Amino acid sequence: MNLEILALLVSSTLIYSAPLIFTSLGGVFSERGGIVNVGLEGIMVIGAFSAVMFNLHFADSLGAWTPWFALLAAGLVGVAFSLIHALATVNLRADHIISGTVLNLVAPALGIFLTRVFFSGKGQTEIISKSFGYFNFPVLAKIPILGPIFFTKTSLPAYVGILFAVISWFIIYKTRFGLRLRSVGEHPQAADTLGINVYRMKYYGVMISGFLGGIGGAVLAQSISMNFSHVTVAGQGFIAMAAMIFGQWNPIGAMLAAIFFGFAQSLSVIGSQIPFIAKIPSVLLQIAPYIITIFVLVGFVGQSRGPAAGGRTYVKSK
C-alpha cells in the first residue's frame, strides 16, 4: 500500500468516524448515570436537522465559522430533545428502551415534517454552502511520512472528537462529578445515602448525551451528507451505541471502537481505489458496517459488563 492510498484511507476513516465518536461518548455519559439511551439515533437526526437549518440561515453572516456554530446549536437542540427521555425515565419511570425507541420514531418524522414546511413540500433541504471539508494542520502537515498521512486533507472534527474522548475520560474517572455519575449508575441507593442527588445526576448524564449526540448528527450532516433528508443518519446512532458497548462504556474505548466502525464505513466509499479491496462487490462493502454492528452486539453484549444499575428505575422512597 503506497503512501497516497494510506493517507486516503486514514482521511476517509476519520471523516466517517467523527460523528460516531461524539455520539458514542454521549452514550457513555448517559449509561454511566444508569440511563440506557437507545434514542441516540433520534438525537443525531434532530441534531443533523438543526445544524443544516442553522447553516443555511447563517452562512452569509458567519462565513467559515458557520459549521462550528451549527455544532453548538445542534448540541443545544439535542439537549432539549434528550430531556424528553430524561423526564420519561427518571420522573415518569418509563422503560428506558421504550422511551428511547419513541425518540427514534419521533425525530425522523418531525425532521421531515419541518423540512416540508420550510422547503415548500420537498423531502430534503437545500445543500449547505459552508461545510467542514478537508483540513491541513499548519505545522504538523510538514512532518515527513506522518504529516501527509495524519495531518493533511483530514477531518478536524474527528481530532476534536478524539480530544473530547480524552477530556471525557478525565471527567468520568478523575473528577468528583464523574465519581458521582458512576456511583449513581452502579448503586443509586448508596449514592443517595451519601447525599448525592440521584435524579439530578441522571439528568446531567442524559443531557450530556443529548449535547454530544446532537453534535454527532451535526458533524455527519456538515461533513458527509451536506443536507438533511430521511436517510441522512441511516442507523449511525445504533452503530455509535455498538461502539459504546464495544468500548466497554469507557470514553477511550468507545472512541477507538468508533474509529474502527468509521474505517469499515470508509471502505464502502474508497474501496474501489484500494487494490486488494477493489474486487469485493460494493454491496458487501456497504452492508459491512451494519453486519459488524450486529456481530459486536451479539458477541459482546453478553460478555460486557455495563453499569450495574443501568436501565433500572430508581425510586427514592425505596
Side-chain angles (χ1 to χ4, degrees), residues 18-284:
L20 302 178
I21 293 174
F22 285 105
T23 308
S24 62
L25 291 177
V28 170
F29 276 97
S30 180
E31 300 217 6
R32 279 296 179 182
I35 303 296
V36 175
N37 192 354
V38 300
L40 294 175
E41 174 86 1
I43 294 173
M44 285 189 74
V45 170
I46 210 69
F49 171 78
S50 303
V52 170
M53 292 298 295
F54 184 95
N55 195 305
L56 291 173
H57 283 81
F58 293 98
D60 292 337
S61 57
L62 296 177
W65 286 98
T66 304
W68 296 101
F69 280 103
L71 290 188
L72 179 60
L76 295 177
V77 173
V79 170
F81 194 66
S82 68
L83 285 174
I84 301 174
H85 187 53
L87 176 64
T89 55
V90 177
N91 298 102
L92 302 181
R93 304 174 187 173
D95 183 272
H96 297 200
I97 304 300
I98 294 177
S99 176
T101 302
V102 170
L103 295 187
N104 293 337
L105 294 174
V106 169
L110 179 61
I112 293 300
F113 171 75
L114 294 177
T115 299
R116 292 183 181 278
V117 170
F118 291 120
F119 294 92
S120 304
K122 296 180 180 179
Q124 60 184 21
T125 66
E126 298 175 359
I127 302 296
I128 59 175
S129 60
K130 302 295 182 181
S131 62
F132 285 112
Y134 293 108
F135 181 79
N136 297 322
F137 285 88
V139 177
L140 299 178
K142 298 180 180 180
I143 299 176
I145 301 178
L146 295 180
I149 296 176
F150 293 102
F151 305 115
T152 302
K153 292 183 178 180
T154 189
S155 170
L156 184 57
Y159 283 96
V160 175
I162 293 173
L163 177 62
F164 266 59
V166 175
I167 295 174
S168 298
W169 179 89
F170 180 83
I171 291 174
I172 290 177
Y173 292 104
K174 300 297 180 179
T175 66
R176 180 181 298 179
F177 173 84
L179 177 61
R180 291 182 174 183
L181 184 68
R182 287 186 288 121
S183 67
V184 167
E186 293 291 340
H187 203 306
Q189 289 84 3
D192 198 0
T193 60
L194 295 175
I196 298 174
N197 191 322
V198 175
Y199 290 166
R200 181 185 299 171
M201 294 307 299
K202 287 180 178 292
Y203 262 85
Y204 285 159
V206 176
M207 291 169 66
I208 293 174
S209 76
F211 183 75
L212 294 175
I215 289 179
V219 171
L220 175 65
Q222 296 181 108
S223 60
I224 298 175
S225 68
M226 303 303 175
N227 73 341
F228 176 82
S229 68
H230 69 285
V231 296
T232 296
V233 177
Q236 297 298 301
F238 296 109
I239 295 178
M241 191 172 183
M244 174 196 67
I245 296 172
F246 197 14
Q248 297 286 318
W249 290 269
N250 182 299
I252 302 299
M255 178 264 293
L256 294 175
I259 292 176
F260 169 73
F261 283 112
F263 168 75
Q265 292 189 72
S266 69
L267 292 181
S268 64
V269 178
I270 65 171
S272 61
Q273 304 179 49
I274 302 177
F276 56 89
I277 297 180
K279 296 180 180 180
I280 300 176
S282 60
V283 175
L284 295 180

Side-chain angles (χ1 to χ4, degrees), residues 286-297:
Q286 291 172 3
I287 66 175
Y290 305 100
I291 295 177
I292 293 174
T293 301
I294 294 174
F295 278 110
V296 167
L297 292 176

